């Protein structure tokens, strides 16, 4: 009777493992269909670094601008016959059909820092993933100039005696960590 119980337990565990594997498979297919993102990135490849805990994070640096950052994921992908590094930034709370400028600028900063870190092995594009859509962002001259202008403004602001509010968005003010010290807070 004992061998029958052991066999039944093993069969039950095998069935549970199969059901769990099937559930993971179905969940990954659903996620890819819903977001356009696969485990290998929108362009395929393998994850080499992650700021989400999947792999150790990679700190990207551009010494010329003084930029540093860690993208959510860094892939190594085959692009036109070359192995290139491609950043991916995840914004799961974004449901917009269009890309936010601030997100494109953030990804452009990662692309500049990536180029400063890995030189010719840096892809000239990266991916921005929202809840229902994945955008491919190319590092254009215009976008790079926008990042440079923001870096200059931040550096200029650090030396300024007074920094003025740079927006008219009440929600940003409500969540601001220096709101109680700000003379220009909205509402």
């Amino acid at each position: 009777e004992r061998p029958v119980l052991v066999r039944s337990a093993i069969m039950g565990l095998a069935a549970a493992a199969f059901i769990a594997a099937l559930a993971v498979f179905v969940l990954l297919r659903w996620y890819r269909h819903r977001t356009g993102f696969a485990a290998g990135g929108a362009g395929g490849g393998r994850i080499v670094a992650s700021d989400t805990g999947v792999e150790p994070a990679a700190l990207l640096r551009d010494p010329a601008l003084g930029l540093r950052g860690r993208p959510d994921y860094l892939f190594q992908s085959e692009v036109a016959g070359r192995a290139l590094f491609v950043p991916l930034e995840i914004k799961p709370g974004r449901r917009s059909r269009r890309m936010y400028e601030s997100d494109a600028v953030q990804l452009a900063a990662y692309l500049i820092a990536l180029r400063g870190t890995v030189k010719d092995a840096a892809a000239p594009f990266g991916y921005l993933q929202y809840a229902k859509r994945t955008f491919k962002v190319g590092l254009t001259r215009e976008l790079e100039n926008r990042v440079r202008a923001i870096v200059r403004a931040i550096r200029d602001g650090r030396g300024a005696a007074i920094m003025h509010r740079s927006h008219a968005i009440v929600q940003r003010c409500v969540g601001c960590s220096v709101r109680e010290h700000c003379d220009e807070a909205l509402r």
Side-chain angles (χ1 to χ4, degrees):
E1 198 172 294
R2 182 169 249 152
V4 172
L5 288 176
V6 170
R7 233 184 332 226
S8 294
I10 290 172
M11 293 296 286
L13 287 174
F18 174 76
I19 290 170
L22 184 61
V24 168
F25 175 76
V26 169
L27 183 63
L28 287 174
R29 293 212 21 124
W30 170 83
Y31 184 72
R32 180 178 181 165
H33 174 73
R34 186 164 182 243
T35 65
F37 176 73
R46 68 180 180 87
I47 300 171
V48 295
S50 170
D51 197 32
T52 66
V54 172
E55 291 286 335
L59 180 62
L60 307 179
R61 299 171 188 235
D62 177 61
L65 280 178
L67 285 176
R68 292 180 303 195
R70 290 182 172 95
D72 289 335
Y73 292 94
L74 187 61
F75 290 92
Q76 188 172 34
S77 294
E78 186 83 14
V79 179
R82 293 182 48 214
L84 296 179
F85 292 99
V86 180
L88 167 70
E89 190 64 17
I90 308 286
K91 305 288 186 186
R94 301 258 202 264
R95 302 212 178 281
S96 177
R97 293 179 189 253
R98 66 174 187 80
M99 183 174 24
Y100 289 20
E101 180 191 6
S102 59
D103 295 338
V105 168
Q106 178 186 6
L107 191 58
Y110 287 144
L111 287 165
I112 293 168
L114 178 63
R115 185 178 60 203
T117 303
V118 299
K119 311 293 185 240
D120 291 338
F125 63 88
Y127 294 100
L128 189 57
Q129 181 186 333
Y130 286 3
K132 296 184 177 187
R133 187 159 183 195
T134 301
F135 299 93
K136 184 176 181 179
V137 178
L139 185 60
T140 63
R141 185 179 316 255
E142 178 185 339
L143 197 49
E144 187 166 351
N145 288 339
R146 179 85 174 112
V147 171
R148 290 178 186 283
I150 290 169
V151 168
R152 271 193 310 277
I154 290 170
R155 293 228 168 87
D156 291 346
R158 285 183 180 159
I162 298 174
M163 278 301 297
H164 295 287
R165 179 175 31 85
S166 63
H167 62 86
I169 304 167
V170 174
Q171 296 87 341
R172 283 183 71 184
C173 279
V174 169
C176 182
S177 62
V178 296
R179 179 181 172 82
E180 64 186 56
H181 308 289
C182 182
D183 295 336
E184 298 179 3
L186 298 171
R187 275 215 249 158

